[in-house]
Amino acid sequence: MSKGIYESKPWLKHYDPHVPNTLEYPNVPLSHFVDDSVKEFPDRPMMIQGKRIISFKEFGNYHYSFAAALADMGVKKGDRVGIYCLNMPQYLITLYAAIKIGAVPTGINPLLTPREIKYILDDSDAETIVALDLFLSRVQEVRKETKLRNVIVAGLGDFPQEGPLPEPTEYEGAVSFLELLKYEPKPPEVKINPRDDWALLQYTAGTTGLPKGTILTHENMVRQTTQLMSWLKFERGKEIVCSSFPFFHLAGLEFNIGCVSMAAGQILIANPRDIEGTINLIDQYHPTVICNVPTIYIQLLRHPKFEKSAIRNAKMFISGAAAFPPEIINEYNSKTQGKVLEVWGMTEASPVLTANPVEGLKKVGSVGIPLPDTIIKVVDPETGSEELPVRERGELIAYGPQVFYKGYWKKPEETEKALRNGWYYTGDIGYMDEDGYFYIVDRKKDIINVSGYKVASREVDDILFEHPAVNMAATIGIPDPDRPGSEIVKAFVTLKEGYEGSPKLAEEIRQFLKKSLAPYKVPKIIEFRKELPLSATGKVLKRELREEEKAKMKK
């Protein structure tokens, strides 16, 4: 097969019968999906939080009231609204309320430190934040150093398991979320241009450096949702879904948007580490579709309750954000009614580019085939333009309606590197087989994948350099033997004169890092060395460090 094979789209012959080769996309704002479902299925569950079920009608009133309140607080079209919450009703109410009035939600990882929160607030120019009461002190610590005007506090007990909502709590310098739900549910009418107006400013670790704000328009998100719902064959108004993906992660957020568009109820998982709690909710509500990172699937599979759980009755298990070990996929496929459906994508693609077919050929180990109107090519990583033949490994580049075209916020140089003539250069290395199925063989070279959470190694390096004992530092990811598909953060450090490596110093450095980095970013292993491998220009060769670690594991 020669050059031009990608334009011929060999994957089309493997599309399920219900998936057209090309789609018609509605020219509507993202709020259209929730408005439609509220009108058509008012009594269907929209959110399930423990025993509390919130219908689409209730949700409609809540988010319309909150939208009116935000507008009254001075939030206008284009303004950024930070959301610093767990997977809870307040997150989704804020998300859709902001979108309704043309504001731009920005999710914030609950594990971030005040320093990391400040960076996102500063970079995004956010003037409003909705923060869980448990996280309020972190916001208050940096508030005076940011542009924040409005701090809204979402209480952990705002939506009790039973009965009416409680009276709002009073906060100094902030307002209760519940207070804003008292507004009349009549938000102002705001005209949205789907092509030009932002729907989300979603932060991603990127390939190097600090997190980048990825601009995703209403058009991006509407078209991605149309693609996914065409692919997944959800029955409108009939599905119950369960996902442990956090909403600050675009995979979790887009999964919810898809559910809302199909009037599917979603079981909210606030703590994905509570595997028993998740199984209990699944047994209570019998979801038809489950979506998780591979590590969560493995933990569910190994739980004593799995064999008798309603998990086994789900019709589909969607997996993404990390590699899913083939042996675990095969075990799921043999023990459940549904099948594992691996997908691949990234924030810059809204986020999904490829998926295995729902009904047709699934290839274990493959991330599947491109969604409708999406083209993936494999090109020479050096030239960036020469198309490589079938099964030859190179960089995967993508073109489609879901690919971000507005670029990264405030980062023109990064945008120029990532977007070239409409093609997104993913930095992922992989290949395509004769059937048009794609395989990822390596990830972006400096990103570490900790159970689906992306860690930019340079960010860890930069903080390491702030420690008085550190001369040079290089951080990489090594395979986690206890979590297949996940990695452990490992740092290699050379010390300044007068310091000696020891377990005590390693722990001191870890404690130092914890002041500035989320726990999952802090290296579990710190190895002291006399020198690090350097290129001719003096750049640390992390590739060599990774190869050394691989060689150790083979022994």
Side-chain angles (χ1 to χ4, degrees):
M1 294 184 183
S2 60
K3 183 178 178 181
I5 182 62
Y6 303 104
E7 284 85 352
S8 70
K9 302 180 181 179
W11 49 81
L12 291 179
K13 63 180 177 288
H14 293 289
Y15 272 20
D16 286 330
H18 66 268
V19 180
N21 292 354
T22 188
L23 296 169
E24 292 185 9
Y25 301 96
N27 185 34
V28 295
L30 192 53
S31 58
H32 170 83
F33 291 136
V34 66
D35 290 343
D36 258 18
S37 292
V38 167
K39 291 176 184 175
E40 192 174 348
F41 295 94
D43 299 323
R44 282 280 301 165
M46 189 274 188
M47 291 184 283
I48 299 169
Q49 185 185 44
K51 295 179 181 178
R52 192 174 196 97
I53 299 176
I54 297 174
S55 69
F56 273 93
K57 181 179 180 179
E58 287 178 285
F59 179 76
N61 287 331
Y62 286 144
H63 95 276
Y64 294 150
S65 293
F66 199 76
L70 288 176
D72 190 55
M73 296 173 77
V75 178
K76 59 187 182 300
K77 182 179 177 180
D79 287 355
R80 263 68 88 189
V81 177
I83 311 179
Y84 188 30
C85 297
L86 303 174
N87 283 17
M88 51 199 295
Q90 296 97 313
Y91 198 114
L92 296 178
I93 292 169
T94 303
L95 174 80
Y96 291 106
I99 289 171
K100 184 69 178 174
I101 60 172
V104 183
T106 296
I108 301 173
N109 184 341
L111 297 178
L112 298 187
T113 65
R115 174 178 178 151
E116 294 165 314
I117 296 163
K118 179 183 179 299
Y119 169 79
I120 289 180
L121 292 174
D122 283 345
D123 191 73
S124 67
D125 297 325
E127 297 181 353
T128 301
I129 189 170
V130 176
L132 182 62
D133 52 6
L134 298 179
F135 309 148
L136 182 59
S137 61
R138 298 181 207 169
V139 175
Q140 300 292 35
E141 185 176 329
V142 300
R143 182 175 184 177
K144 291 181 180 179
E145 304 170 43
T146 68
K147 299 177 183 178
L148 285 178
R149 293 187 298 106
N150 305 312
V151 175
I152 301 165
V153 185
L156 201 59
D158 284 355
F159 288 83
Q161 294 295 285
E162 297 177 320
L165 305 189
E167 282 301 305
T169 301
E170 291 188 8
Y171 299 94
E172 185 177 350
V175 62
S176 166
F177 190 95
L178 291 177
E179 190 68 47
L180 302 184
L181 293 186
K182 294 182 177 180
Y183 272 70
E184 189 175 2
K186 292 185 178 180
E189 293 288 335
V190 177
K191 188 175 181 180
I192 300 294
N193 181 332
R195 175 70 185 173
D196 292 328
D197 291 338
W198 303 10
L200 301 169
L201 182 61
Q202 195 75 16
Y203 277 80
T204 175
T207 54
T208 59
L210 293 167
K212 299 190 288 287
T214 306
I215 302 168
L216 298 171
T217 65
H218 287 259
E219 182 179 281
N220 281 140
M221 299 308 299
V222 167
R223 294 190 172 195
Q224 166 79 144
T225 304
T226 304
Q227 289 172 314
L228 286 174
M229 293 306 103
S230 167
W231 193 270
L232 296 176
K233 202 179 180 181
F234 275 24
E235 292 187 69
R236 185 165 166 78
K238 293 185 179 181
E239 311 285 359
I240 296 291
V241 304
C242 180
S243 169
S244 295
F245 269 106
F247 291 141
F248 71 80
H249 191 294
L250 191 57
L253 194 61
E254 170 54 32
F255 189 65
N256 177 264
I257 292 170
C259 291
V260 168
S261 76
M262 299 303 290
Q266 180 169 353
I267 301 167
L268 302 186
I269 305 295
N271 179 12
R273 295 183 180 182
D274 181 9
I275 300 300
E276 179 144 357
T278 299
I279 288 179
N280 290 340
L281 286 169
I282 289 172
D283 287 345
Q284 183 176 356
Y285 294 107
H286 296 266
T288 54
V289 178
I290 296 175
C291 181
N292 285 314
V293 294
T295 50
I296 297 294
Y297 278 125
I298 293 168
Q299 288 174 290
L300 289 169
L301 181 65
R302 302 300 179 223
H303 195 279
K305 291 185 177 180
F306 179 86
E307 295 296 337
K308 295 183 179 180
S309 171
I311 297 171
R312 302 180 66 187
N313 300 325
K315 66 181 182 181
M316 193 186 308
F317 301 93
I318 302 171
S319 176
F324 205 144
E327 63 272 21
I328 304 297
I329 292 178
N330 290 331
E331 194 169 351
Y332 256 92
N333 289 343
S334 67
K335 291 184 176 181
T336 62
Q337 289 187 20
K339 298 297 182 183
V340 172
L341 200 74
E342 276 202 276
V343 304
W344 170 67
M346 59 284 300
T347 302
E348 293 87 345
S350 304
V352 181
L353 290 166
T354 69
N356 275 276
V358 172
E359 298 173 349
L361 177 64
K362 298 174 186 63
K363 295 193 178 187
V364 173
S366 168
V367 294
I369 54 183
L371 298 181
D373 305 309
T374 303
I375 300 177
I376 310 294
K377 292 182 181 181
V378 182
V379 300
D380 185 318
E382 297 299 321
T383 66
S385 58
E386 180 188 352
E387 294 181 17
L388 300 179
V390 166
R391 292 196 176 274
E392 189 165 329
R393 298 179 178 189
E395 181 175 3
L396 274 62
I397 64 174
Y399 185 92
Q402 73 274 47
V403 171
F404 76 139
Y405 47 81
K406 291 283 187 179
Y408 299 114
W409 173 234
K410 295 181 180 178
K411 289 183 169 53
E413 291 182 2
E414 294 283 358
T415 299
E416 190 175 341
K417 290 177 185 176
L419 279 177
R420 307 176 207 172
N421 298 318
W423 288 86
Y424 170 53
Y425 283 68
T426 70
D428 284 353
I429 302 301
Y431 65 91
M432 183 184 79
D433 70 13
E434 293 81 359
D435 294 318
Y437 283 69
F438 285 83
Y439 300 77
I440 309 300
V441 297
D442 200 3
R443 286 187 308 278
K444 299 171 184 179
K445 61 181 180 180
D446 289 330
I447 283 295
I448 303 165
N449 192 328
V450 182
S451 296
Y453 292 108
K454 303 300 190 293
V455 179
S457 62
R458 181 180 166 185
E459 183 183 10
V460 183
D461 293 345
D462 288 346
I463 307 300
L464 275 166
F465 275 106
E466 294 180 11
H467 191 279
V470 174
N471 178 43
M472 293 189 68
T475 308
I476 66 169
I478 62 174
D480 186 340
D482 298 323
R483 290 172 174 260
S486 182
E487 293 178 308
I488 292 171
V489 181
K490 179 173 182 177
F492 296 86
V493 172
T494 64
L495 298 172
K496 294 177 181 176
E497 190 174 346
Y499 290 90
E500 289 187 5
S502 67
K504 182 179 179 182
L505 180 57
E507 183 57 27
E508 179 189 312
I509 292 173
R510 269 193 290 271
Q511 293 303 319
F512 174 83
L513 293 172
K514 285 180 180 178
K515 296 176 183 177
S516 300
L517 295 171
Y520 67 88
K521 297 181 183 179
V522 176
K524 283 191 175 182
I525 303 172
I526 296 178
E527 181 177 326
F528 296 107
R529 290 197 171 188
K530 290 184 179 180
E531 59 183 16
L532 297 176
L534 302 175
S535 69
T537 59
K539 183 179 179 181
V540 177
L541 295 172
K542 293 186 177 182
R543 171 177 48 80
E544 289 193 11
L545 294 172
R546 285 193 288 267
E547 288 173 356
E548 288 178 23
E549 291 299 313
K550 287 180 181 178
K552 287 180 187 177
M553 293 186 70
K554 290 180 180 178
K555 291 181 179 179

